Amino acid sequence: MATSASAPSGTTSINTSYTNPLVQVPPFVYGTAWKKDRTTELVFEALRTGFKGLDTAAQPRHYREDLVGAAVRKALGDGIIKREDIHIQTKYTPPSGQDPQNLPYSLTDPLETQIRASVASSLKNLDTPPSTYINTLFLHSPLSSLSLTISAWKIMESYVPHPIQALGISNIDLKSLSALYDAVDRKPSVVQNRFYPSTHHDVLIRRFCAQHNIVYQSFWTLSGNPGLLRKPRGSRDVVGEVAQELGTTREVALYLLVMGLGDVSVLNGTTNQGHMRDDLAGLENWSEWNTREGSGARWKGWMDWFKAAIGQERN
């Protein structure tokens, strides 16, 4: 179920939180990949600015999970956040996605040992005394076969509901997602995928998620969609209309349209502090604007255009 900002009955709205039976995911989750030595600084600033979600991974090749934990503890110590108010998600990354010279387990270990070593390192890196837990643990990608993927998932299930509240999966296609869903006891709570034209903007996967109470989480939302961000020539510019109406940027307008698809949380990895503020402010501006007379019908019209633009049927 989703908690929605005020919206007229029958219109498409943007959710202020995305609630699966096991976990709540905020509309923006701050992505910490590629931040390297700036991770603590940027994550702390994101939390100070108002982000309520953090995405990381036990994958030193692309993430500094230890520095994410340092930023969280600093924000907790400074009284900026309470642990129960933020969503922290991390990942077990299979060997295919790791730097063989720098990973949280041994490549020669069996699968269960690898996963348990990875989770142990994540719990250590993301330690938040007196209560250490992770909101969502992702399988970073399916393994080389469905049977191995299911085996990995069943090991991850042993951590739920504590110290892991829920499980998710990244970089998955519909066939694999459906097979995994049918085979496991603890169903995926979140699916995290690239949102871009090469996968037809995951129309079918998002439909599956909606049918099974799974939060869909997009990444590459801006970088993967230059055609949507670019001002069109000779045709209607809905992204520009949304930006102008809400007094925000085209980038924020696109984020809002993606969120408007329903139960879509967005990874946001900006390193610009001004953009952090503007992105969160854009969501607040939408919530205020959406209470105005006539806003519901106008928003629905924009969403109809956007759904057509990404190949999704209109409501």
Side-chain angles (χ1 to χ4, degrees):
M1 298 294 292
T3 302
S4 300
S6 298
S9 177
T11 66
T12 305
S13 65
I14 293 174
N15 300 313
T16 54
S17 69
Y18 303 85
T19 305
N20 176 275
L22 297 178
V23 71
Q24 289 188 344
V25 184
F28 274 128
V29 173
Y30 187 67
T32 66
W34 304 103
K35 303 301 187 288
K36 300 182 179 180
D37 290 343
R38 294 190 66 199
T39 298
T40 298
E41 166 203 346
L42 291 168
V43 171
F44 180 80
E45 183 61 27
L47 292 170
R48 191 181 69 83
T49 304
F51 277 82
K52 300 297 185 183
L54 300 174
D55 174 83
T56 186
Q59 185 196 33
R61 182 181 192 176
H62 295 152
Y63 297 82
R64 287 296 305 271
E65 191 182 51
D66 57 328
L67 298 185
V68 172
V72 171
R73 289 187 291 274
K74 176 174 171 55
L76 287 168
D78 289 356
I80 293 172
I81 58 169
K82 295 179 180 178
R83 178 62 185 90
E84 60 268 25
D85 293 335
I86 61 170
H87 175 91
I88 298 177
Q89 57 188 51
T90 191
K91 309 175 189 78
Y92 159 68
T93 305
S96 59
Q98 298 278 12
D99 176 352
Q101 305 303 317
N102 184 16
L103 69 169
Y105 52 79
S106 172
L107 291 174
T108 61
D109 286 338
L111 179 61
E112 180 167 2
T113 304
Q114 290 181 5
I115 293 174
R116 296 202 182 281
S118 178
V119 173
S121 72
S122 293
L123 290 169
K124 179 180 178 181
N125 287 334
L126 301 171
D127 183 34
T128 53
S131 179
T132 295
Y133 60 96
I134 292 166
N135 299 93
T136 305
L137 174 66
F138 283 80
L139 180 57
H140 208 159
S141 64
L143 278 73
S144 58
S145 69
L146 177 61
S147 61
L148 280 174
T149 300
I150 292 171
S151 294
W153 192 271
K154 289 185 177 297
I155 297 163
M156 291 165 58
E157 285 180 327
S158 68
Y159 290 96
V160 180
H162 190 79
I164 308 295
Q165 290 184 340
L167 301 179
I169 190 160
S170 302
N171 302 299
I172 193 167
D173 60 38
L174 179 60
K175 182 179 178 181
S176 301
L177 175 60
S178 179
L180 177 68
Y181 187 94
D182 289 342
V184 299
D185 296 325
R186 302 263 185 194
K187 308 301 185 183
S189 293
V190 189
V191 167
Q192 182 193 83
N193 269 359
R194 291 174 178 85
F195 181 86
Y196 69 149
S198 294
T199 58
H200 307 289
H201 295 98
D202 269 353
V203 169
L204 296 181
I205 288 181
R206 288 188 287 105
R207 182 185 300 163
F208 182 93
C209 289
Q211 292 169 345
H212 294 87
N213 203 22
I214 300 170
V215 176
Y216 179 88
Q217 192 170 89
S218 72
F219 68 98
W220 279 22
T221 310
L222 299 183
S223 58
N225 293 284
L228 292 173
L229 273 176
R230 190 181 307 118
K231 186 176 181 179
R233 293 183 179 181
S235 60
R236 187 179 180 189
D237 180 18
V238 165
V239 174
E241 290 176 25
V242 174
Q244 182 175 8
E245 180 72 15
L246 298 180
T248 190
T249 65
R250 297 184 68 86
E251 290 78 8
V252 174
L254 181 56
Y255 277 144
L256 294 173
L257 288 165
V258 172
M259 292 176 185
L261 293 170
D263 281 356
V264 178
S265 172
V266 173
L267 278 191
N268 181 331
T270 183
T271 60
N272 184 294
Q273 295 176 4
H275 291 169
M276 291 181 189
R277 292 190 294 271
D278 291 345
D279 295 347
L280 294 174
L283 190 57
E284 293 179 0
N285 290 348
W286 183 91
S287 295
E288 186 280 325
W289 172 85
N290 197 48
T291 63
R292 300 178 189 175
E293 184 71 27
S295 63
R298 193 167 189 192
W299 181 252
K300 185 178 184 304
W302 285 331
M303 287 306 307
D304 284 346
W305 176 93
F306 185 62
K307 289 175 183 179
I310 63 172
Q312 179 174 331
E313 74 281 1
R314 300 179 183 184
N315 290 336

